[in-house]
Amino acid sequence: MDFAFVSGNPALDLAGTVLSRRDEPIDVLAAPADLERWVVECDELPDRVTADVPTFESALSLREATYRLALDRVLDRPFDPASLEIINDTAAGPVPTIKLSDTGLHTSGDLRAVLSQIARSGIAVLADPHACLKECGRTGCTRIYLDRSRGARRTWCGMDECGNRVKAAAYRARRRAETTAEGHGSGTQTPVTPAEW
Ligand SMILES: [Zn+2]
């Protein structure tokens, strides 16, 4: 399964590796190798990393803590103390090193350092009173993202993941309704095209 990096923050993207949390959760990080691949695909993290089982479990624990804290922010309630402890302890470790060269920024470090960096970026966004955290508007998608759009008008975690799916479903529903109406003899409605969305 492809990973989505649409939340605007690596810690929120990590939290988003469990899909449909309230209905039938799907964990896209089923094994340490999945986490290694996720780190490589995440732009802000090192190009290569090795995950052993204890560190993989720490990553999952950081992920669940981050999700809980982000949900606390979305619901405007106090942070869960146990989750705060996890994110704060993880952030206290060493972070990856960064180097500048003609090819750009190069980041390196082991998985523990990667988790520290993810925890720090999570703390930065959770502590920012101006950060607009939202849950995706598609029913069933529980992804939480940082809305940086002008006027904070973004509704979906991502257009490919959710926005287009919702719009396509609404379009199909309208077409069905129209077909039914035509079947009952109205026959005068203008066809609706996707461009109207
Ligand atoms: Zn979504």
Side-chain angles (χ1 to χ4, degrees):
M1 184 177 287
D2 287 341
F3 300 128
F5 295 93
V6 291
S7 299
N9 174 277
L12 295 178
D13 280 330
L14 180 64
T17 57
V18 179
L19 316 176
S20 313
R21 283 177 175 268
R22 279 190 289 274
D23 303 324
E24 290 174 39
I26 301 166
D27 188 344
V28 298
L29 299 183
D34 298 322
L35 178 63
E36 292 174 351
R37 199 160 59 82
W38 185 87
V39 169
V40 170
E41 287 185 28
C42 184
D43 279 347
E44 300 171 40
L45 300 176
D47 292 339
R48 189 178 304 167
V49 83
T50 309
D52 57 21
V53 171
T55 320
F56 174 63
E57 281 167 3
S58 299
L60 300 187
S61 142
L62 173 65
R63 173 180 74 178
E64 295 315 300
T66 303
Y67 175 72
R68 172 63 196 265
L69 297 169
L71 190 62
D72 290 340
R73 261 293 300 264
V74 169
L75 299 176
D76 197 22
R77 65 188 184 191
F79 287 132
D80 171 56
S83 300
L84 282 178
E85 202 176 320
I86 292 168
I87 201 169
N88 287 334
D89 284 353
T90 312
V95 290
T97 55
I98 54 169
K99 274 186 190 165
L100 177 67
S101 75
D102 287 330
T103 55
L105 178 74
H106 182 69
T107 309
S108 58
D110 63 14
L111 186 57
R112 289 271 167 205
V114 165
L115 296 184
S116 283
Q117 178 159 325
I118 294 171
R120 284 170 182 238
S121 72
I123 287 173
V125 78
L126 290 164
D128 180 357
H130 303 296
C132 179
L133 267 63
K134 288 183 181 174
E135 187 180 89
C136 178
R138 180 174 72 81
T139 306
C141 176
T142 50
R143 196 187 296 276
I144 295 174
Y145 62 92
L146 178 61
D147 186 353
R148 289 203 187 93
S149 68
R150 244 175 108 159
R153 294 172 63 172
R154 192 171 143 192
T155 310
W156 323 107
C157 67
M159 284 316 288
D160 290 346
E161 288 75 14
C162 290
N164 289 336
R165 285 169 64 181
V166 172
K167 289 178 178 185
Y171 172 70
R172 284 195 300 272
R174 282 172 63 176
R175 289 293 297 165
R176 266 198 307 276
E178 280 171 17
T179 309
T180 311
E182 282 162 18
H184 287 291
S186 83
T188 54
Q189 292 187 9
T190 328
V192 177
T193 65
E196 289 184 22
W197 289 94

